[in-house]
Amino acid sequence: MTSLTQPFLSVDALHKAFVLHGQGGMTLEVMRDLSLTLSPGECLVLAGPSGIGKSTLLKMLHGSYRVTGGTLRLHFEDGDLSLDTLPAHAWHTLRRDVIGYVSQFLRVVPRVPAVEVVIEPLLARGVDEAEARVRAEAMLARLNLPERLWSLPPGTFSGGEQQRVNIARGFIAEHPLLLLDEPTASLDAANREVVVQLIQEAKARGAALLGIFHDEDVRDRVADRLLPLSPHMGAALASTPANAEEIRS
Amino acid sequence: MTASDPTASGYNFAYLDEQTKRMIRRGLLKAVAIPGYQVPFGGREMPMPYGWGTGGMQLTASVLGQDDVLKVIDQGADDTTNAVSIRAFFERVAGVTTTTATGEADVIQTRHRIPEQPLRQGQLLIFQVPIPEPLRFIEPSEEETRLMHALEEYGVMHVKLYEDIARHGHIATTYAYPVKVDGRYVTDPSPIPKFDNPKLHMNEALMLFGAGREKRLYAIPPYTRVESLDFEDHPFEVQEWDDPCAICGARDTFLDEVITDDRGGRMFVCSDTDYCQSRTEEVA
Amino acid sequence: MKRPDLDRATLLEARGVSRLYGPGKGCEAIDIRLHRGEVLGIVGESGSGKSTLLRLLAGMERPDAGQVVYHSHEGELDLYAIGEARRRALLRMEWGLVHQNPRDGLRLGVSAGANIGERLMALGERHYGQLRAAGQDWMGRVELDPRRIDDAPKTFSGGMQQRLQIARTLVTRPNLVFMDEPTGGLDVSVQARLLDMLRTLVRELGLSVILVTHDLAVARLLAHRLMVMRRGQVVETGLTDQILDDPQHAYTQLLVSSVLTP
């Protein structure tokens, strides 16, 4: 394990722009010159108004968005790994073993029961199915998802229930780097509490966490540091990525 | 074999002209060299319709010599219409001696049987073949079946046998049972009963197959390995009968069911009339 | 923590393959690299050349230029430099092809069990009992009633026929599977079931797949990586979510934005 004082993740001068070909090649700059470091066992919370580019940063760290400029590096005992230059196929293993992502919304696969959604990251690593199932069920129980729902596809679940399935799926594989995009958004107090515990346990085992939390109570309890994003944005960047999403879609 | 002294004036010896016979013999040499491989040949019109043995007759005509003794059988019998007609045909156009005795014949043309009496070295058995291609049932394209043979893609042959067992509980194919010749080519042995399949294996005689409509010929040379396709847990088996032949009492021959009256009476007798008769004479 | 090994062995490669039927028709100078255990989706509209590319990659059509290289256990094989015998043996033994129309990939005249058993028999399996056991096992895996093993595919619905075709293809556990619009032509409810089943099989068998589809939702669910084709050329490649969530090329942006989301 890397020494706790050494960062696990370094982001340097990160730049992201969307070019909208459908809008006459209009360029939307949504992030400029963002730098941060994140150490194992640390939870860094991104702060700033909605649409400032917090989710965009997480998506770049997860490989879902491409990097326009700057560098993203992971530091391992035996050397660095640049994420911004990684070939696409390298992400398969990286996402399986190193970088986990809990988004706000569950992408429902039709017909797949909740428990199968949760165990999938373990099965992908070759964990024995019976063992994976035990762990998944324990996780769902902990998140107070009624047992009768476990074998049902989450398509018909409420927003909160879907989110808990998603959280279980995100935390079960114990990735060394976890990206959390408002994991508590539609949860009640009891379940928020469970998520706070899960985050603290992840920190305790040395995971580095980068999160977005709108709930100030949760934020205050899990955050080691806050990173306000607005100073990184130039004055020219009046249009928000939220608008950008609308224009692009 | 010469062209002199044809018995029926106006015809060359054994009906076909010498060029055609040479062409067919060249095909036969190739067939012998590649056991089980189907060789195309330029089939000629024969004075009878397809389906009556035109392929077998062209082969017989091509290999027949003036001193040869010919036997013709149809489903084992020497006295059925097809056998009688073909025998008469060669008597007339080749003037050769004919016989019904298996042991005395040099050349035997057959439809759907192999004689019960073991053949010996030097004898020729010529089969009449309706459909020479064993893969045709599943693959209509000739181009594709030729490629399948070339590449030994024979999995589909077992699909057919599998389907037999799935439907009937056993391999229900009883005639034209596919064989593999010399460990290489899957071959249709013509519609002989599967009872005769074991006789193909290491036979001392040269076996030639001719398909007139399809214009294909192939061969199983003497002493060639011939295996009937099967499954480990459903091995190839031949037919058996509860009763012996009602005429000669043989228990090891292929029997035909004969209806004796219109009240359901029936009996089983050897399909090989010559064999049956010779046994009866021995006993008598 | 040590640096993870992110490299994956290459399984299939196209090096500048071209096959043009006319200007912009077919495909031109395509480079592809499929890694082991990867599902690569080839997406594009009809006429984009994706089906031609599939035929070139799957050994069914010789390219005008370029090479298709398969990294087999014995080393690299140039698909169109090896003989036809070898190529067909490869298709039969190590590869599999799932057609869009199950009737193209099934033998309709023989039972479901015979359909599943055919590839095993082609590989030399000669035990009826074992063929039958494999048939029943695979019918179960693709959620067909094993009691229908002796029924003809004609008596199955379209979705069932497609699952039967998948069982027939995967029974020999091929290293590489080509799928041509595997859910095309099926009802939406039937599609969902098939997609889920394919996902499970891909993971359980560790399949490497080249998937051709015009349906971006199918691509999102099945593919790890996407290649976008247009007028015979590759306009963009990347991780599936990169292509669908952050498309770079004008055409990809148009394609992604044209999808109806309910």
Side-chain angles (χ1 to χ4, degrees):
Chain A
M1 188 50 90
T2 316
S3 149
L4 288 182
T5 54
Q6 293 298 313
F8 181 53
L9 168 70
S10 307
V11 175
D12 198 36
L14 195 61
H15 181 209
K16 177 62 183 172
F18 292 107
V19 178
L20 307 180
H21 296 282
Q23 309 292 324
M26 171 183 174
T27 300
L28 281 180
E29 277 199 299
V30 296
M31 185 173 291
R32 183 192 291 171
D33 201 26
L34 177 88
S35 299
L36 65 85
T37 59
L38 180 64
S39 297
E42 187 184 30
C43 180
L44 176 63
V45 172
L46 302 174
S50 169
I52 200 73
K54 303 189 293 292
S55 289
T56 300
L57 173 60
L58 296 192
K59 283 180 176 166
M60 282 191 280
L61 282 168
H62 195 238
S64 306
Y65 281 3
R66 294 181 224 229
V67 175
T68 310
T71 58
L72 297 169
R73 275 172 304 153
L74 290 181
H75 308 285
F76 294 97
E77 283 169 28
D78 50 347
D80 289 357
L81 182 72
S82 286
L83 302 186
D84 45 287
T85 55
L86 220 46
H89 72 269
W91 282 97
H92 308 328
T93 308
L94 199 64
R95 288 174 175 184
R96 188 190 69 196
D97 294 341
V98 182
I99 304 179
Y101 183 68
V102 185
S103 70
Q104 293 176 54
F105 304 106
L106 176 65
R107 191 177 290 286
V108 181
V109 180
R111 239 172 55 96
V112 180
V115 68
E116 306 285 338
V117 173
V118 177
I119 64 174
E120 201 179 11
L122 293 179
L123 296 183
R125 281 191 203 161
V127 174
D128 171 67
E129 184 168 345
E131 186 200 326
R133 198 168 287 275
V134 169
R135 283 168 64 182
E137 289 175 354
M139 188 65 100
L140 288 172
R142 201 172 160 192
L143 285 156
N144 303 307
L145 192 77
E147 192 170 341
R148 64 187 161 78
L149 298 182
W150 296 357
S151 57
L152 299 179
T156 55
F157 291 8
S158 72
E161 286 163 348
Q162 288 195 3
Q163 191 164 14
R164 279 178 276 156
V165 172
N166 215 18
I167 290 165
R169 177 185 165 93
F171 277 92
I172 197 166
E174 305 189 344
H175 289 95
L177 175 59
L178 262 180
L179 309 171
L180 309 170
D181 193 347
E182 303 213 37
T184 56
S186 32
L187 299 185
D188 59 24
N191 285 312
R192 275 205 301 275
E193 186 56 36
V194 178
V195 175
V196 169
Q197 283 171 19
L198 286 172
I199 291 171
Q200 281 162 350
E201 286 166 22
K203 282 161 69 174
R205 68 164 186 270
L209 293 92
L210 188 61
I212 304 170
F213 298 93
H214 277 155
D215 186 312
E216 285 187 20
D217 171 53
V218 172
R219 182 198 300 172
D220 293 345
R221 291 177 60 197
V222 301
D224 295 295
R225 279 190 293 140
L226 282 183
L227 179 71
L229 279 201
S230 43
H232 297 282
M233 319 300 292
L237 307 175
S239 57
T240 66
N243 287 343
E245 295 281 351
E246 275 165 34
I247 294 166
R248 290 195 307 125
S249 63
Chain B
M1 280 175 276
T2 69
S4 64
D5 188 31
T7 304
S9 62
Y11 290 107
N12 188 40
F13 173 76
Y15 186 75
L16 290 177
D17 65 276
E18 292 305 307
Q19 286 295 345
T20 299
K21 290 199 256 179
R22 263 197 287 277
M23 176 268 293
I24 291 175
R25 287 198 296 269
R26 276 197 299 271
L28 287 171
L29 285 174
K30 180 170 180 180
V32 168
I34 317 171
Y37 173 76
Q38 297 166 54
V39 182
F41 72 101
R44 296 293 186 259
E45 292 287 331
M46 296 300 279
M48 54 179 14
Y50 289 134
W52 287 79
T54 54
M57 285 172 73
Q58 290 180 73
L59 264 52
T60 299
S62 303
V63 299
L64 200 60
Q66 282 167 327
D67 302 330
D68 284 336
V69 177
L70 177 69
K71 170 182 163 82
V72 183
I73 51 173
D74 175 7
Q75 303 199 64
D78 295 90
D79 54 1
T80 50
T81 314
N82 193 238
V84 170
S85 309
I86 293 174
R87 193 162 56 234
F89 175 81
F90 281 111
E91 280 169 356
R92 200 161 156 202
V93 299
V96 292
T97 313
T98 57
T99 181
T100 58
T102 301
E104 288 168 17
D106 299 301
V107 176
I108 304 171
Q109 182 173 330
T110 177
R111 175 173 174 266
H112 303 187
R113 272 313 308 274
I114 297 175
E116 303 290 0
Q117 180 180 330
L119 302 176
R120 58 178 157 73
Q121 203 171 321
Q123 283 185 309
L124 273 170
L125 184 62
I126 296 171
F127 295 77
Q128 302 170 200
V129 180
I131 300 167
E133 178 51 72
L135 299 166
R136 184 65 70 234
F137 76 100
I138 208 133
E139 180 50 66
S141 154
E142 173 70 16
E143 191 184 348
E144 182 66 15
T145 52
R146 290 174 79 83
L147 200 56
M148 288 163 82
H149 280 295
L151 304 180
E152 290 187 76
E153 289 183 4
Y154 289 140
V156 290
M157 292 311 299
H158 277 84
V159 170
K160 186 180 182 218
L161 300 180
Y162 172 99
E163 202 62 4
D164 256 13
I165 305 173
R167 284 193 191 160
H168 307 287
H170 59 95
I171 298 176
T173 301
T174 51
Y175 63 92
Y177 192 106
V179 294
K180 196 170 220 184
V181 176
D182 200 27
R184 177 60 181 83
Y185 282 96
V186 165
T187 303
D188 187 327
S190 86
I192 58 172
K194 67 177 179 178
F195 179 89
D196 285 342
N197 271 27
K199 297 176 191 165
L200 297 165
H201 178 62
M202 301 304 272
N203 200 313
E204 291 183 27
L206 169 61
M207 294 179 282
L208 305 174
F209 299 77
R213 189 190 343 245
E214 307 261 342
K215 300 176 178 57
R216 292 287 183 279
L217 55 85
Y218 50 103
I220 300 177
Y223 307 105
T224 301
R225 276 186 301 135
V226 179
E227 310 146 67
S228 301
L229 304 182
D230 62 0
F231 288 106
E232 288 160 19
D233 49 344
H234 284 268
F236 172 80
E237 285 169 350
V238 297
Q239 296 99 323
E240 286 177 3
W241 287 265
D242 296 334
D243 299 315
C245 169
I247 297 173
C248 75
R251 290 190 167 275
D252 56 354
T253 59
F254 185 81
L255 302 182
D256 282 337
E257 183 180 351
V258 179
I259 306 296
T260 52
D261 53 38
D262 55 6
R263 293 186 303 278
R266 56 184 193 161
M267 62 178 194
F268 288 93
V269 298
C270 290
S271 99
D272 185 338
T273 51
D274 171 60
Y275 186 74
C276 195
Q277 202 175 339
S278 63
R279 275 179 52 89
T280 323
E281 282 161 9
E282 264 174 44
V283 173
Chain C
M1 188 180 178
K2 299 273 188 204
R3 240 174 92 122
D5 179 11
L6 303 179
D7 262 352
R8 291 205 187 181
T10 301
L11 188 62
L12 187 77
E13 244 182 300
R15 299 175 186 158
V17 292
S18 294
R19 177 85 180 96
L20 282 175
Y21 307 105
K25 289 196 165 53
C27 55
E28 199 171 1
I30 309 280
D31 292 309
I32 283 190
R33 192 178 281 267
L34 176 76
H35 304 85
R36 280 184 197 277
E38 197 176 37
V39 179
L40 175 64
I42 301 175
V43 298
E45 296 170 309
S46 58
S48 61
K50 58 189 193 305
S51 294
T52 302
L53 180 58
L54 184 86
R55 294 178 58 77
L56 296 174
L57 295 175
M60 295 186 292
E61 188 162 336
R62 185 177 289 274
D64 298 331
Q67 291 175 298
V68 178
V69 178
Y70 173 58
H71 296 247
S72 77
H73 300 297
E74 308 119 71
E76 293 188 11
L77 295 179
D78 182 337
L79 198 54
Y80 293 96
I82 58 175
E84 185 171 19
R86 189 83 191 278
R87 185 162 62 245
R88 280 175 64 126
L90 199 66
L91 291 171
R92 204 169 63 234
M93 317 271 217
E94 296 187 35
W95 293 8
L97 174 64
V98 175
H99 297 262
Q100 171 173 5
N101 186 340
R103 290 182 288 282
D104 294 337
L106 290 172
R107 287 196 193 279
L108 294 175
V110 300
S111 66
N115 268 286
I116 298 175
E118 181 173 343
R119 276 171 73 101
L120 292 171
M121 291 185 243
L123 291 182
E125 174 59 70
R126 292 289 178 265
H127 193 282
Y128 177 79
Q130 281 164 15
L131 286 164
R132 213 159 163 79
Q136 282 166 335
D137 174 46
W138 270 92
M139 287 187 78
R141 277 168 175 257
V142 298
E143 302 173 24
L144 292 170
D145 183 351
R147 285 172 303 184
R148 297 197 61 182
I149 189 168
D150 294 331
D151 291 357
K154 278 180 277 204
T155 66
F156 290 7
S157 69
M160 289 164 73
Q161 287 182 356
Q162 190 57 294
R163 280 179 275 141
L164 181 63
Q165 187 194 189
I166 287 164
R168 168 184 161 90
T169 307
L170 298 187
V171 64
T172 52
R173 296 175 176 264
N175 282 335
L176 175 57
V177 182
F178 297 90
M179 297 186 187
D180 187 6
E181 305 272 10
T183 61
L186 297 178
D187 291 341
V188 177
S189 60
V190 176
Q191 270 195 23
R193 183 175 189 184
L194 192 69
L195 284 171
D196 163 37
M197 205 191 73
L198 282 174
R199 270 167 63 95
T200 306
L201 289 171
V202 163
R203 190 193 62 228
E204 284 179 359
L205 304 177
L207 295 179
S208 308
V209 179
I210 290 194
L211 165 79
V212 163
T213 182
H214 71 282
D215 187 336
L216 296 183
V218 168
R220 182 175 306 261
L221 282 179
L222 284 181
H224 300 130
R225 218 151 51 79
L226 291 184
M227 237 179 71
V228 183
M229 286 192 73
R230 183 198 187 202
R231 289 190 200 140
Q233 293 184 325
V234 177
V235 298
E236 189 169 353
T237 63
L239 284 172
T240 298
D241 46 354
Q242 273 172 2
I243 297 288
L244 298 180
D245 299 338
D246 185 17
Q248 305 293 302
H249 191 275
Y251 176 71
T252 316
Q253 290 187 359
L254 179 69
L255 199 65
V256 170
S257 66
S258 306
V259 175
L260 299 173
T261 34

